Amino acid sequence: MSQGADWNVPSRRMGAPPEPARRESASLADILERVLDKGIVIAGDIQINLLDIELLTIKIRLLIASVDRAKEMGIDWWEHDPTLSSGARDVLDENERLRRRVGELESGRDAEREPERERGGEDGS
Amino acid sequence: MVGSVPLADFGEEPLRAHLEDLPWLERAARAHHRVIGRAAGYGQVIPLRFATIYHDDGRVRTMLQERRDDLTATLARVAGRTEWGVKAYVDPRAFLPDPGEEGPSGGDTPGTAYLLRRRAQRDDKETAHLRATERAEEIHTALTALAAATAAHPPQDARLAAYEGWMVLNNSYLVPDDRTEEFTASVTGLGERYPDVDLELSGPWPPYSFTAPPEREEAP
């Protein structure tokens, strides 16, 4: 294949408003949805559950988690409606945060209270 | 293709922190993508996900041995084919029901009237979304006919991808190389046939969306 040179350089948008002035060769969103594992676990010896972390505060997590969940409920359309989206995102976000906090409290793993024991259990990596 | 990375950046904890740092993630993801893109210029690649990390060369060899059959099958599947991305954007207003199709009826009090109006707006929006989604389905069906495989991505976050309106289609198509022109012409043709939809073609991509490892095998 002789495509190496123009590998995903052109991104054509028909009839669209002009792109932002300095456009990278491929959009970050396009790259991330391809190079990141689809939200579950990064493969290999090091495993990170992307859904566990506040990935990019909200951006990617919304991209890979909430949209999927919302779509299952058939309500994805508000995702991109500027008049509606921010409130709905905040609710989803808050929801997620609260659920995690409740989980932490219920499992009694309060890192602040017993930092020594937490650390003592690991083999010092 | 392997490269060594410092544990200080790619150990579990630092990596977890870095992933929340958009500028860091952008640099790293683009670097990952660049390496794969360059490698793809030399031959068929199976791109691994970003931050696929093994502790040493031995672990990499073990992985390659364990996944030998899977990787061989994947190579055969993507050989002579290329991934293309197609996104469809719509302006929701273009898909709203015609005004007067069914106007909101009076309401006894201002409050009721307001709520009725709000509901009518919501219903209109659902109708618009349904219509736009149907249009996206038509486009997807037409493109699928030219592809060996397809993969759906969720609509992108509007703030990350910076677009307006709705992204009603965000799919990858694995297209045989001898159909590349037919495929790109088809995207152009569909864009012309449906002026209320903006189609965006991206690619060629290394076959990112078609080389995922099989669903996690039960660890022995």
Side-chain angles (χ1 to χ4, degrees), chain A residues 7-8 30 34 45 54 81, chain B residues 20 49 53 59 125 206:
Chain A
W7 207 249
N8 75 44
D30 281 356
R34 287 178 169 82
D45 288 348
E54 296 271 338
D81 183 341
Chain B
E20 312 214 19
R49 301 295 189 183
I53 292 164
R59 290 284 302 127
K125 224 160 222 167

Side-chain angles (χ1 to χ4, degrees), chain A residues 39-40 48-54 61 64-65 96 100:
Chain A
I40 312 305
I48 291 182
N49 188 333
L50 291 178
L51 298 185
D52 271 355
I53 64 182
E54 296 271 338
R61 199 152 51 81
I64 56 190
E96 186 78 24
R100 207 174 318 133

Side-chain angles (χ1 to χ4, degrees), chain B:
Chain B
M1 194 174 236
V2 299
S4 298
V5 292
L7 257 179
D9 277 326
F10 287 86
E12 186 168 336
E13 279 315 309
L15 181 58
R16 190 181 294 267
H18 278 321
L19 285 172
E20 312 214 19
D21 174 358
L22 187 55
W24 187 94
L25 180 61
E26 169 155 20
R27 274 197 309 278
R30 284 191 185 281
H32 181 84
H33 173 58
R34 230 173 6 249
V35 169
I36 290 172
R38 290 296 291 273
Y42 292 99
Q44 190 64 59
V45 296
I46 298 180
L48 298 183
R49 301 295 189 183
F50 171 70
T52 303
I53 292 164
Y54 294 93
H55 290 310
D56 54 44
D57 291 356
R59 290 284 302 127
V60 176
R61 275 188 216 100
T62 308
M63 181 276 288
L64 289 173
Q65 273 157 15
E66 282 173 0
R67 289 190 56 193
R68 188 191 171 86
D69 291 348
D70 155 45
L71 292 174
T72 307
T74 301
L75 268 181
R77 199 170 64 243
V78 298
R81 297 166 172 173
T82 300
E83 174 172 345
W84 294 87
V86 178
K87 295 199 272 296
Y89 307 83
V90 302
D91 179 345
R93 286 168 297 187
F95 289 84
L96 287 173
D98 289 331
E101 258 182 50
E102 201 182 327
S105 50
D108 296 336
T109 67
T112 319
Y114 169 78
L115 289 174
L116 284 172
R117 212 161 50 236
R118 285 300 298 267
R119 182 200 273 177
Q121 279 170 357
R122 200 193 56 204
D123 290 349
D124 283 355
K125 224 160 222 167
E126 277 170 13
T127 305
H129 190 253
L130 196 67
R131 291 177 178 179
T133 308
E134 282 168 4
R135 180 59 44 82
E137 279 297 321
E138 289 171 50
I139 290 166
H140 174 64
T141 304
L143 294 176
T144 301
L146 300 173
T150 69
H153 305 291
Q156 292 172 350
D157 184 282
R159 282 165 300 176
L160 188 61
Y163 63 92
E164 289 177 3
W166 294 335
M167 185 184 288
V168 289
L169 183 77
N170 181 23
N171 288 352
S172 283
Y173 299 85
L174 187 65
V175 180
D177 290 338
D178 58 7
R179 279 193 180 165
T180 301
E181 273 180 43
E182 201 182 340
F183 185 81
T184 54
S186 177
V187 173
T188 309
L190 288 162
E192 284 163 4
R193 193 193 312 167
Y194 301 121
D196 45 7
V197 177
D198 284 334
L199 286 181
E200 179 184 296
L201 177 70
S202 72
W205 293 94
Y208 286 117
S209 306
F210 302 97
T211 46
E215 289 302 303
R216 228 164 314 154
E217 297 146 57
E218 310 306 310

Side-chain angles (χ1 to χ4, degrees), chain A residues 32-123:
Chain A
L32 288 184
E33 74 191 357
R34 287 178 169 82
V35 308
L36 288 182
D37 215 342
K38 209 188 164 214
I40 312 305
V41 169
I42 290 180
D45 288 348
I46 291 178
Q47 305 212 324
I48 291 182
N49 188 333
L50 291 178
L51 298 185
D52 271 355
I53 64 182
E54 296 271 338
L55 196 52
L56 311 183
T57 320
I58 50 168
K59 287 176 180 160
I60 308 300
R61 199 152 51 81
L62 273 166
L63 180 88
I64 56 190
S66 304
V67 174
D68 276 351
R69 206 177 310 140
K71 273 176 73 175
E72 284 170 14
M73 302 187 293
I75 51 166
D76 55 332
W77 54 267
W78 48 256
E79 269 293 323
H80 306 295
D81 183 341
T83 60
L84 294 174
S85 58
S86 63
R89 281 167 208 276
D90 291 346
V91 170
L92 279 178
D93 226 41
E94 183 66 12
N95 211 341
E96 186 78 24
R97 219 191 312 275
L98 287 172
R99 207 173 309 151
R100 207 174 318 133
R101 185 65 186 142
V102 168
E104 283 170 14
L105 291 172
E106 278 180 351
S107 64
R109 279 185 300 115
D110 195 333
E112 277 177 26
R113 235 179 16 200
E114 295 190 351
E116 262 90 355
R117 185 175 298 180
E118 282 258 325
R119 208 153 291 158
E122 290 175 15
D123 56 356

